[in-house]
Amino acid sequence: MSFMWRSIVSNSRLCLSSVRAAPSSRRLLHMGQRASLTKAFSTRDVELFAELTGDTNPLHLDPVYAKTTSFETPIVHGVLINGLISAVLGTKMPGRGCVFLYQEIRFPAPLYIGEEVLAEAEVHKIKMSFAFIAVTCSVKDKVVMEGEVMVMMPEDQQQKE
């Protein structure tokens, strides 16, 4: 927006009194606002994540090894689950242009390959240009990830003083 105004101001042929800023099509973030998405991770998703990150822990990739653990079958990488929260924040709320600054998360239960997980985010506090958001990923009543994140809101979402 500031670039557009600089362009208009520097172009002396335009009359500034006839120029109006386009109304924002995005509403301001507010306390209690929620957003979510669902996803079921496939074996291929987990293999691709392992390939991209180098996290080849057999607990995620090898059914024979996983059978020797308390999980008994391969589980989805925790950080891959957390990626769903990044998707909610970056695409739905606050959305395009937000910056993920901080997170504190826990993984109270495993997510098994093929389970449909619901990733949810709810705004708990807004302070200046920052939003504090509670996040949860769950499969029915089983919570597989929970915590709190802080994001810097996009400029068009920030409340002006």
Side-chain angles (χ1 to χ4, degrees):
M1 178 83 145
S2 61
F3 173 77
M4 181 174 66
W5 281 111
R6 272 187 249 128
S7 297
I8 291 169
V9 170
S10 65
N11 187 344
S12 60
R13 291 177 292 190
L14 292 175
C15 174
L16 288 177
S17 62
S18 65
V19 178
R20 291 189 185 152
S24 175
S25 62
R26 301 168 66 87
R27 62 184 174 164
L28 291 176
L29 203 60
H30 59 273
M31 302 249 301
Q33 188 172 342
R34 300 174 66 108
S36 65
L37 62 78
T38 58
K39 167 98 175 142
F41 290 106
S42 68
T43 299
R44 185 67 187 135
D45 293 329
V46 171
E47 290 169 349
L48 285 170
F49 183 80
E51 187 178 318
L52 287 169
T53 64
D55 183 350
T56 57
N57 182 338
L59 180 59
H60 305 296
L61 303 168
D62 183 354
V64 174
Y65 175 81
K67 193 149 189 74
T68 67
T69 71
S70 61
F71 300 107
E72 298 181 349
T73 184
I75 61 173
V76 176
H77 297 78
V79 177
L80 185 52
I81 301 165
N82 191 36
L84 295 177
I85 295 301
S86 181
V88 170
L89 299 174
T91 64
K92 297 183 178 223
M93 181 195 77
R96 193 182 82 193
C98 83
V99 179
F100 206 135
L101 298 174
Y102 169 82
Q103 68 179 353
E104 183 177 309
I105 55 174
R106 294 165 297 290
F107 299 95
L111 175 64
Y112 295 101
I113 294 171
E115 288 184 305
E116 186 172 83
V117 62
L118 171 65
E120 298 178 285
E122 181 178 353
V123 177
H124 276 196
K125 181 179 177 182
I126 298 172
K127 185 168 185 174
M128 299 186 311
S129 59
F130 305 103
F132 298 85
I133 301 172
V135 296
T136 307
C137 292
S138 57
V139 176
K140 299 179 182 156
D141 291 335
K142 176 179 78 167
V143 175
V144 297
M145 192 201 89
E146 62 186 354
E148 193 169 270
V149 301
M150 180 177 76
V151 299
M152 183 168 55
M153 296 180 286
E155 270 191 44
D156 63 350
Q157 291 264 341
Q158 295 176 15
Q159 296 180 354
K160 306 300 178 201
E161 302 293 321

